Amino acid sequence: MGSYRRRALLVVAPLCAVAMLAAGPADGSDASDGDTGRDVSGQVVRLYEDAALATQRYEAGRAEAETQRVTALRAEAPLERERREITGLRADLGRIVRAQYRTGGLPLVAQLLLADDPAGLLEGQHAFSRADLAVRNAIGRRQRAETRLAADEARATAAWRKLERHNTELAALKDTVERKLEDARGRLQGLADASVAAGSCRGAVRLDQPQAPATAAWVAPVERYTLSAGFGSDGARWANRHTGQDFAVPIGSPVRAAGAGRVVTVSCGGPFGIEVVIEHAGGYYTQYAHLAAVAVDQGERVATGQWIGQSGTSGNSTGPHLHFEVRITPEAGSALDPVPWLAQRGVPLG
């Protein structure tokens, strides 16, 4: 049996219908101020959620397909038995027909009528009836088995095609959301670059906050990340050594307050680009730099885990990331290594 036929016989359960995601338009057509306010920032956040949901559905669909393939391999065994049964029925029918042909078929009736032995005549009539009945039964069994096999194969083929169609739709939906997200990221960073060039912030963009507030006193400044340049490392773009910990994240990722405190600085110029500095209890400060947008105002009090902006690559930056510092003054030059500092407060990074 060829590979296509084997694929066609895989009996798979169709996935649930693909739900439409609530992604905002990628062309900014709903922006009341032409990409100068909260619309593009909010759209990036929504698209992050939609992209995560689309990815989850896509991965769930692929996992379901794998599960169904395993089930299909077991379901194929009865089909193979049906094929073997049909082959056997055809062989039986062939033997019966050949036996009748050897005895002469219809002339056998005349031979029996002329027989001198009545018992032999009766036995011959019974033999003929049994042979005729066997032929009819064999033909009926073969036809029923072939009809059943054709129906099973048709259902398996339809189920497989439906699964492939759903997976294609899931992949297309995921790609569409990701393209929209990439476009929105570019527009968000464009607004950030314009603010840095002008040396003037656009003002706080009020983002819809997470429904579940942080329960810990301290958290990492971004939820999902890859650690890149660390504290004290060398770099051609720094006057001395690196003064913070970099978190590699895509443009537009929500940045959150590592701890409760008060916003003491919101600025949009210089090497740090768009930045926020928060004062915490105990005389410590945290800095969040190279942002694409801010979601708080200077003087505002923030809670642990509250979104204070969105990551970007503004200022002296070679790529999208969050530059995070822990300081003992609000100004640069008083930084501590944030990795052990956060670890002491129950936030290991890695």
Side-chain angles (χ1 to χ4, degrees):
M1 193 67 65
S3 60
Y4 171 79
R5 188 172 180 82
R6 175 171 291 274
R7 284 165 55 89
L9 293 176
L10 295 180
V11 181
V12 290
L15 298 176
C16 61
V18 180
M20 293 302 296
L21 297 176
D27 57 5
S29 58
D30 65 339
S32 59
D33 53 3
D35 275 359
T36 60
R38 63 168 288 159
D39 292 306
V40 65
S41 291
Q43 186 186 11
V44 170
V45 172
R46 291 193 303 273
L47 285 169
Y48 266 113
E49 296 171 353
D50 290 348
L53 181 58
T55 299
Q56 289 171 4
R57 288 176 175 171
Y58 176 74
E59 294 302 328
R62 300 310 301 174
E64 177 69 10
E66 283 302 313
T67 300
Q68 295 303 330
R69 285 189 183 94
V70 174
T71 303
L73 292 176
R74 292 194 294 268
E76 190 175 350
L79 297 181
E80 291 294 343
R81 286 196 296 272
E82 289 179 14
R83 295 189 193 98
R84 289 195 296 270
E85 178 185 357
I86 290 173
T87 300
L89 289 173
R90 287 173 177 166
D92 291 343
L93 182 59
R95 284 193 296 271
I96 293 170
V97 171
R98 287 193 297 272
Q100 282 190 314
Y101 179 79
R102 286 195 298 270
T103 59
L106 289 177
L108 176 63
V109 177
Q111 295 174 15
L112 292 173
L113 291 175
L114 297 174
D116 295 330
D117 183 4
L121 173 61
L122 182 61
E123 183 179 351
Q125 288 176 332
H126 283 306
F128 181 80
S129 297
R130 287 195 300 271
D132 185 62
L133 180 62
V135 170
R136 289 199 300 270
N137 289 341
I139 292 174
R141 285 198 306 273
R142 191 198 70 182
Q143 290 175 338
R144 289 191 298 272
E146 289 180 341
T147 300
R148 185 172 61 251
L149 176 62
D152 289 344
E153 289 182 335
R155 284 194 296 269
T157 301
W160 175 258
R161 289 174 178 169
K162 189 171 184 179
L163 176 67
E164 287 296 299
R165 185 168 61 253
H166 276 289
N167 282 334
T168 300
E169 291 170 354
L170 287 169
L173 179 62
K174 178 173 175 287
D175 291 343
T176 298
V177 174
E178 289 177 348
R179 285 195 301 270
K180 286 185 177 181
L181 178 56
E182 188 62 28
D183 176 76
R185 284 173 181 158
R187 291 187 289 116
L188 180 63
Q189 186 58 47
L191 294 174
D193 293 339
S195 295
V196 171
S200 175
C201 293
R202 291 187 288 124
V205 174
R206 299 300 176 179
L207 302 172
D208 294 333
Q209 295 294 320
Q211 293 182 351
T215 56
W218 297 91
V219 296
V222 285
E223 188 173 0
R224 296 179 181 84
Y225 57 85
T226 299
L227 295 178
S228 49
F231 180 83
S233 57
D234 291 319
R237 299 180 70 86
W238 308 311
N240 298 297
R241 290 183 177 271
H242 195 226
T243 55
Q245 174 62 56
D246 286 351
F247 295 78
V249 288
I251 294 170
S253 299
V255 174
R256 54 191 186 177
R262 182 177 64 89
V263 178
V264 296
T265 301
V266 175
S267 63
C268 298
F272 287 118
I274 300 176
E275 64 170 321
V276 172
V277 177
I278 299 176
E279 179 184 15
H280 305 280
Y284 292 104
Y285 298 81
T286 54
Q287 180 215 25
Y288 312 79
H290 304 308
L291 302 177
V294 294
V296 291
D297 289 317
Q298 195 162 303
E300 183 177 337
R301 298 204 65 83
V302 295
T304 301
Q306 179 179 333
W307 288 354
I308 60 172
Q310 292 169 281
S311 63
T313 183
S314 60
N316 187 8
S317 171
T318 58
H321 72 283
L322 170 70
H323 175 85
F324 175 74
E325 288 190 17
V326 174
R327 302 172 175 174
I328 57 175
T329 70
E331 294 81 18
S334 60
L336 306 173
D337 188 342
V339 174
W341 189 87
L342 282 174
Q344 291 170 3
R345 287 155 178 80
V347 186
L349 301 178

